[in-house]
Amino acid sequence: MRNWPLRLRVFLIFVGLTGGILAAIGAALWVLHDRLMGAEALTEAAVTDAVVTDALALAGLIAGMATLGLCAMVWYLFDINMARPIETLAGGLLTGAPPDEDEGRYLADLAPAARAAAQARIAAQQELQAAVASHAEDMTHEKSMLENILSDIGAGAILTDSDGRVMFYNAAASQLLPGLGLDRPVSRFLRGDSLAAAQARIRAGAGASDISVTGTEGQRLTGRIRPLSEEFGGTILILRPARRELVPPRLAIQALRSHSAALTALLDQLSDPVAPRMIAALRAAGAGLKQAMRDLDAGLDPGAPRQRRVAAEELARGLNLPLGRVEPVTLAADGWQIGGLLVMLAQRLAGTRRSVTATITREQDGSPDEAMVTLVWQGAPLPMDMLDDWLKIAPDPDMPDLTGADILDAHATGMWSDADPDDGTRARLVLPLRISAVARAARASVTYDFALSGHGAADLRPLSTLNCVVFDTETTGLSLSDRIVQIAGLRIAGGKLTGERFETLVNPGRAIPPSSTRIHGVTDAMVRDAPDMATALRQFHGFAEDAVLIAHNAPFDMGLLRAAEPESGLHFPNRVMDTVLLSAMIWGQGAVHSLDALCERLEIELPPDLRHTAMGDAAATAEAYLRMLPALKAKGITRFEDVLTQAQKYRRLLSDANLAAAHGN
C-alpha cells in the first residue's frame, strides 16, 4: 500500500468511510426490524407507542455512534499520516533541512519531492557560497590585512553610528572599556559629559576634537574623536590610557638639597682623628640623604598601571605571529602593553633573521599560578646585552616614556633568553606572567557589523537585525529553588554571531548533588573559587544589557535569573525568545522540540563533550536560532511582536517567559 498513488489511497479512505456509514445504517435498520418483528404478540397500540419508539431510538444510537467512531478514526488517520507529516515537511522546506526517510511515507511522491527540494536548496546554497567565496577572495585578503592592522595598534578604536551605538571596536578598545559590545551605546561605558561635549563640537562643524574621558571603572582615557563621512554618519573614537603628568616633589627635593649641603659642610671639616660627634652627624646626614633619595624616587615613579586581565588566546591572536601551544588561561596582565612589547620584540627578532613562534603555557616546574609566554626560534639564544638594549625602546611611539623595561617592572616580572629545553636546536625569549584567579573569555581581535547603522530603532527592527544574547545555565537541580553553577552567553547582532562571549562558573553556596554533576560535569572543587551568584549575575547583566535574551526552554533559565534578584539586586527586564516556541511555530506542536531533536533536524553538530555545558548548549541554541530565521520569515514572523502574537497559540506547549515577567513571576 506504501507504493500506491496518494489519490488512490485518499479515494479508498473515503470509500471505506462511506461503506462504514452504510453498514452502520444497515445495522441500525436490522436492529429496528428485529425489534419490530419480535413484538407481534403485543397489541397494535403498544407496538405503535412503545416498541417503535424504543426501536427507533436504539437504531439511531447505533447509527450515530458508529458514524462518530468512523469519522474519528478517519480524522486520526489523516492527522497522523497526512497533516502532521505535511507540517513537518513544510518545516524542512522552510529551513532547508531534508526530512527523514520515514517522514511522509504515506504521502506518495510528496515526501521524496520535499527531500529533493531541500537537498537541491542545500546544493544551490553551497554553489552560491562557493561562487561568493571565489569572487571575494581578494577582498577577504584585504579585509584580513586591515583587521590585523587595526587589532595590533595600541590605541582603542571605536566606530559608532549616528545614534552613538557601537558598529566596530578592536581588542585594545575592549581592554580599555570592559563590557564594550556591538549595537550598544558607547556612552554607556563612559562617565561624565566629556563625550557629549565633544560630540556637540562635532555637530557644530568641527572636523575633529580632542577628548578626555573616564571609563566606568575609573580609568582615565584621552584621545580624539572625528566624524565619519556624511554617507555613513557617526563618529570614530580613538582612545589611549591618559599619561600621568609628573609633578616634581618639591619637599623631597628641598630635603635632598638640605642634607647634601649639610653633608658637604661636614666633609669639609673632617680632620684626623674624627670626633665621635662628627661621625654621628655624618651618619645622620647620610641616613637623611638616603631617605630623601627614596622619597624623590617614589615621587618621580609614575607607578604600575592598574592590572587588567587578558585571555591567553586573545593575547596570542593579537600578536599576528605563528602560534604554538596556547593554553586556556587568563593572564593578570595589561594585554595592550604586553602585546605591544611582544610585537616589538618579534619585529626586532625578524630583523635579525629569526622567525619566531609564540606559545603561552602554564609553568610546569615553578609556580602553578604562573604562565610562560615564549617567543621561540631556530638558532642560538639572544645575547642579553642585545635584549637589554631592545627593552630600552618604547613599543608605542606615541608613549616614548613607557619602555619595554618599564612595562616589565609594572608587571613585576622580567624577561630572558635561553635554549629551548625541549629542543636544543632552538632558543627562546621567556616572559613569566601571573595567572589571574578570575577567568576572562577571549575576544575577537576586531568586532564589527557596519550594517547596524541602517537597521533603525531597536523596537522596529526585523528579527534578523536584533541585538540578542543567547544564553544557557547549568544548575544544582531542575527546580526554580535550585542554584546556578555555570552560565554562558553569545552575542548575535545583524543576524550573525559577533564573537563576543561570556562564560563563568558560579559558586552556588551549597553542595552540588552528584546526580547533577553526572549531567553537566561541574563539581564542588571547580566552583570553590568561582564568583558567587551576585558577582556572576552582575557580570552577565552587563553583558546582556539592552539585548533580547534567547534560551531553549527560556522560562526555566529566566526563572532562575529572576529568583536571584533579591540576592543580586539586579532585574532582568529583557525581552525574551524561546527556541522551543520558535521550533513549534515552524514544525508544529506534534514534533519533538528538545535541543537534541532541533540540532538533528537542522543538522547542527553538537560534540558530546559540550552537551550539557553552558557554552556548548548556548552555541547550539544560537546556531539553531540563526537557521530558523529564514523559515520564520517565510511564515510571516519577522518581528519580535510577531513572535509574541504567535506564542499565545502554544501556551499549552510551554509558558512564555515574557508573560511571566509581565506578571512578576
Side-chain angles (χ1 to χ4, degrees), residues 3 25 127 145 154 171 208 253 272 283 299 375 411 416 427-428 456 508 541 593 625 662:
N3 296 323
I25 294 174
E127 291 178 3
M145 291 177 60
I253 291 175
D272 188 27
R283 288 175 177 171
L375 300 180
H411 289 79
W416 64 89
R428 61 180 185 169
H541 187 274
H593 302 293
Y625 169 73

mmCIF file of all heavy atoms in Angstrom, residues 3 25 127 145 154 171 208 253 272 283 299 375 411 416 427-428 456 508 541 593 625 662:
data_model
loop_
_atom_site.group_PDB
_atom_site.id
_atom_site.type_symbol
_atom_site.label_atom_id
_atom_site.label_comp_id
_atom_site.label_asym_id
_atom_site.label_seq_id
_atom_site.Cartn_x
_atom_site.Cartn_y
_atom_site.Cartn_z
ATOM 1 N N ASN A 3 3.279 2.015 -1.821
ATOM 2 C CA ASN A 3 3.613 2.487 -3.157
ATOM 3 C C ASN A 3 2.386 2.888 -3.973
ATOM 4 O O ASN A 3 2.520 3.232 -5.142
ATOM 5 C CB ASN A 3 4.404 1.398 -3.913
ATOM 6 C CG ASN A 3 5.741 1.105 -3.256
ATOM 7 O OD1 ASN A 3 6.385 2.016 -2.752
ATOM 8 N ND2 ASN A 3 6.137 -0.165 -3.258
ATOM 9 N N ILE A 25 -25.767 2.213 9.130
ATOM 10 C CA ILE A 25 -27.209 2.426 8.912
ATOM 11 C C ILE A 25 -27.914 1.083 8.724
ATOM 12 O O ILE A 25 -29.014 0.849 9.259
ATOM 13 C CB ILE A 25 -27.429 3.337 7.686
ATOM 14 C CG1 ILE A 25 -26.873 4.743 7.992
ATOM 15 C CG2 ILE A 25 -28.901 3.410 7.309
ATOM 16 C CD1 ILE A 25 -26.913 5.659 6.794
ATOM 17 N N GLU A 127 26.705 25.982 -3.799
ATOM 18 C CA GLU A 127 27.260 26.536 -5.034
ATOM 19 C C GLU A 127 27.363 28.052 -4.952
ATOM 20 O O GLU A 127 28.356 28.649 -5.388
ATOM 21 C CB GLU A 127 26.388 26.126 -6.219
ATOM 22 C CG GLU A 127 26.463 24.638 -6.545
ATOM 23 C CD GLU A 127 25.541 24.270 -7.690
ATOM 24 O OE1 GLU A 127 24.896 25.204 -8.247
ATOM 25 O OE2 GLU A 127 25.447 23.083 -8.032
ATOM 26 N N MET A 145 44.028 41.804 6.209
ATOM 27 C CA MET A 145 45.145 42.700 6.473
ATOM 28 C C MET A 145 44.696 43.890 7.306
ATOM 29 O O MET A 145 45.371 44.309 8.256
ATOM 30 C CB MET A 145 45.748 43.177 5.150
ATOM 31 C CG MET A 145 46.465 42.085 4.354
ATOM 32 S SD MET A 145 47.085 42.694 2.776
ATOM 33 C CE MET A 145 48.185 43.988 3.323
ATOM 34 N N GLY A 154 48.077 50.142 19.232
ATOM 35 C CA GLY A 154 47.968 50.246 20.673
ATOM 36 C C GLY A 154 46.727 50.951 21.146
ATOM 37 O O GLY A 154 46.260 50.730 22.253
ATOM 38 N N ALA A 171 40.528 44.996 19.791
ATOM 39 C CA ALA A 171 40.838 44.353 21.065
ATOM 40 C C ALA A 171 41.300 45.365 22.112
ATOM 41 O O ALA A 171 40.983 45.244 23.295
ATOM 42 C CB ALA A 171 41.918 43.280 20.859
ATOM 43 N N ALA A 208 37.330 67.642 14.008
ATOM 44 C CA ALA A 208 37.781 66.659 14.993
ATOM 45 C C ALA A 208 37.859 67.372 16.334
ATOM 46 O O ALA A 208 37.808 68.613 16.411
ATOM 47 C CB ALA A 208 39.127 66.056 14.614
ATOM 48 N N ILE A 253 62.821 67.273 47.147
ATOM 49 C CA ILE A 253 63.996 67.902 46.525
ATOM 50 C C ILE A 253 64.661 68.865 47.505
ATOM 51 O O ILE A 253 65.894 68.926 47.628
ATOM 52 C CB ILE A 253 63.586 68.613 45.232
ATOM 53 C CG1 ILE A 253 63.182 67.564 44.177
ATOM 54 C CG2 ILE A 253 64.719 69.483 44.704
ATOM 55 C CD1 ILE A 253 62.647 68.155 42.900
ATOM 56 N N ASP A 272 91.837 64.544 61.141
ATOM 57 C CA ASP A 272 92.240 63.276 61.714
ATOM 58 C C ASP A 272 92.729 63.490 63.147
ATOM 59 O O ASP A 272 93.619 64.334 63.362
ATOM 60 C CB ASP A 272 93.352 62.658 60.873
ATOM 61 C CG ASP A 272 93.683 61.233 61.307
ATOM 62 O OD1 ASP A 272 92.796 60.546 61.863
ATOM 63 O OD2 ASP A 272 94.826 60.834 61.054
ATOM 64 N N ARG A 283 76.647 60.179 59.952
ATOM 65 C CA ARG A 283 75.679 59.099 59.785
ATOM 66 C C ARG A 283 74.260 59.634 59.636
ATOM 67 O O ARG A 283 73.474 59.149 58.812
ATOM 68 C CB ARG A 283 75.752 58.142 60.975
ATOM 69 C CG ARG A 283 77.015 57.279 60.964
ATOM 70 C CD ARG A 283 77.091 56.437 62.227
ATOM 71 N NE ARG A 283 78.261 55.563 62.182
ATOM 72 C CZ ARG A 283 78.673 54.846 63.224
ATOM 73 N NH1 ARG A 283 78.004 54.903 64.386
ATOM 74 N NH2 ARG A 283 79.729 54.067 63.101
ATOM 75 N N GLY A 299 58.393 59.774 44.384
ATOM 76 C CA GLY A 299 57.614 60.862 43.803
ATOM 77 C C GLY A 299 57.709 60.922 42.297
ATOM 78 O O GLY A 299 56.762 61.318 41.612
ATOM 79 N N LEU A 375 58.666 33.377 22.949
ATOM 80 C CA LEU A 375 58.898 33.550 21.517
ATOM 81 C C LEU A 375 60.040 32.607 21.157
ATOM 82 O O LEU A 375 61.157 32.763 21.655
ATOM 83 C CB LEU A 375 59.266 35.003 21.191
ATOM 84 C CG LEU A 375 58.227 36.071 21.551
ATOM 85 C CD1 LEU A 375 58.734 37.458 21.172
ATOM 86 C CD2 LEU A 375 56.894 35.803 20.881
ATOM 87 N N HIS A 411 54.659 45.037 35.673
ATOM 88 C CA HIS A 411 54.037 43.729 35.871
ATOM 89 C C HIS A 411 54.837 42.852 36.832
ATOM 90 O O HIS A 411 54.539 41.653 36.967
ATOM 91 C CB HIS A 411 53.881 43.018 34.526
ATOM 92 C CG HIS A 411 52.834 43.615 33.640
ATOM 93 N ND1 HIS A 411 53.040 44.755 32.885
ATOM 94 C CD2 HIS A 411 51.544 43.248 33.400
ATOM 95 C CE1 HIS A 411 51.943 45.045 32.213
ATOM 96 N NE2 HIS A 411 51.026 44.160 32.505
ATOM 97 N N TRP A 416 64.095 36.907 29.755
ATOM 98 C CA TRP A 416 65.440 36.426 29.463
ATOM 99 C C TRP A 416 65.394 35.527 28.225
ATOM 100 O O TRP A 416 64.320 35.109 27.768
ATOM 101 C CB TRP A 416 66.014 35.661 30.648
ATOM 102 C CG TRP A 416 65.268 34.402 30.981
ATOM 103 C CD1 TRP A 416 65.487 33.153 30.474
ATOM 104 C CD2 TRP A 416 64.166 34.270 31.890
ATOM 105 N NE1 TRP A 416 64.615 32.259 30.998
ATOM 106 C CE2 TRP A 416 63.786 32.911 31.884
ATOM 107 C CE3 TRP A 416 63.487 35.157 32.724
ATOM 108 C CZ2 TRP A 416 62.739 32.419 32.667
ATOM 109 C CZ3 TRP A 416 62.447 34.677 33.494
ATOM 110 C CH2 TRP A 416 62.083 33.327 33.465
ATOM 111 N N ALA A 427 66.025 28.313 20.367
ATOM 112 C CA ALA A 427 66.176 29.229 21.502
ATOM 113 C C ALA A 427 64.857 29.959 21.694
ATOM 114 O O ALA A 427 63.943 29.878 20.867
ATOM 115 C CB ALA A 427 67.312 30.213 21.246
ATOM 116 N N ARG A 428 64.774 30.710 22.790
ATOM 117 C CA ARG A 428 63.503 31.365 23.097
ATOM 118 C C ARG A 428 63.717 32.592 23.960
ATOM 119 O O ARG A 428 64.748 32.723 24.642
ATOM 120 C CB ARG A 428 62.577 30.397 23.823
ATOM 121 C CG ARG A 428 63.162 29.907 25.151
ATOM 122 C CD ARG A 428 62.259 28.941 25.872
ATOM 123 N NE ARG A 428 62.802 28.601 27.193
ATOM 124 C CZ ARG A 428 62.138 27.953 28.135
ATOM 125 N NH1 ARG A 428 60.906 27.532 27.904
ATOM 126 N NH2 ARG A 428 62.705 27.705 29.311
ATOM 127 N N GLY A 456 17.827 50.931 11.946
ATOM 128 C CA GLY A 456 16.758 51.718 12.544
ATOM 129 C C GLY A 456 16.609 51.460 14.028
ATOM 130 O O GLY A 456 17.422 50.804 14.664
ATOM 131 N N PRO A 508 27.581 28.183 43.947
ATOM 132 C CA PRO A 508 26.164 28.248 44.330
ATOM 133 C C PRO A 508 25.929 28.415 45.824
ATOM 134 O O PRO A 508 24.798 28.616 46.256
ATOM 135 C CB PRO A 508 25.622 26.905 43.834
ATOM 136 C CG PRO A 508 26.795 25.982 43.940
ATOM 137 C CD PRO A 508 28.008 26.815 43.629
ATOM 138 N N HIS A 541 24.733 40.522 33.674
ATOM 139 C CA HIS A 541 23.780 41.619 33.458
ATOM 140 C C HIS A 541 24.405 42.696 32.578
ATOM 141 O O HIS A 541 23.758 43.232 31.671
ATOM 142 C CB HIS A 541 23.368 42.201 34.810
ATOM 143 C CG HIS A 541 22.262 43.217 34.727
ATOM 144 N ND1 HIS A 541 22.500 44.555 34.478
ATOM 145 C CD2 HIS A 541 20.915 43.090 34.837
ATOM 146 C CE1 HIS A 541 21.354 45.211 34.459
ATOM 147 N NE2 HIS A 541 20.378 44.339 34.659
ATOM 148 N N HIS A 593 10.613 18.892 20.296
ATOM 149 C CA HIS A 593 11.292 20.188 20.293
ATOM 150 C C HIS A 593 12.440 20.261 21.296
ATOM 151 O O HIS A 593 12.820 21.343 21.726
ATOM 152 C CB HIS A 593 10.279 21.308 20.573
ATOM 153 C CG HIS A 593 9.152 21.350 19.600
ATOM 154 N ND1 HIS A 593 9.328 21.669 18.277
ATOM 155 C CD2 HIS A 593 7.832 21.067 19.759
ATOM 156 C CE1 HIS A 593 8.162 21.617 17.649
ATOM 157 N NE2 HIS A 593 7.239 21.238 18.525
ATOM 158 N N TYR A 625 18.797 29.030 16.320
ATOM 159 C CA TYR A 625 18.029 30.262 16.118
ATOM 160 C C TYR A 625 18.347 30.898 14.764
ATOM 161 O O TYR A 625 17.438 31.287 14.013
ATOM 162 C CB TYR A 625 18.333 31.245 17.252
ATOM 163 C CG TYR A 625 17.794 32.639 17.009
ATOM 164 C CD1 TYR A 625 16.431 32.907 17.097
ATOM 165 C CD2 TYR A 625 18.648 33.687 16.673
ATOM 166 C CE1 TYR A 625 15.933 34.180 16.861
ATOM 167 C CE2 TYR A 625 18.160 34.961 16.430
ATOM 168 C CZ TYR A 625 16.799 35.199 16.531
ATOM 169 O OH TYR A 625 16.313 36.467 16.282
ATOM 170 N N ALA A 662 5.903 39.854 32.881
ATOM 171 C CA ALA A 662 4.870 40.890 32.999
ATOM 172 C C ALA A 662 4.024 40.701 34.243
ATOM 173 O O ALA A 662 3.526 41.664 34.824
ATOM 174 C CB ALA A 662 3.990 40.874 31.754
#
